[in-house]
Amino acid sequence: ALRDLGVPVLEQRFVHDGPVWTSAGVSAGTDMMLAYIAHVAGVDAAGKVQLSAEYYPAATRYGRQAEDPRAPAYVRAG
């Protein structure tokens, strides 16, 4: 419907445009928040959140959680 109104639509899970962050849905919102944490507090902070949440839906890994013995085996394997 937005395209019909002439609004440009990006086919991405989340978008960061200046001070505005938007996401496509619930799990995309988690992806967005990890990116936001990395942007604001650094990748190590985002990595700690990602490890605590055990949220690894894609290839994006923040920080050095693959070295953490608490990380799931598939994360430690690379």
Side-chain angles (χ1 to χ4, degrees), residues 14-58:
F14 67 89
V15 175
H16 174 206
D17 184 15
V20 178
W21 293 73
T22 57
S23 68
V26 175
S27 63
T30 303
D31 295 337
M32 180 186 71
M33 285 312 302
L34 286 169
Y36 177 79
I37 292 166
H39 179 76
V40 171
V43 294
D44 288 335
K48 289 176 184 177
V49 172
Q50 191 173 37
L51 177 63
S52 294
E54 295 185 17
Y55 182 75
Y56 303 98

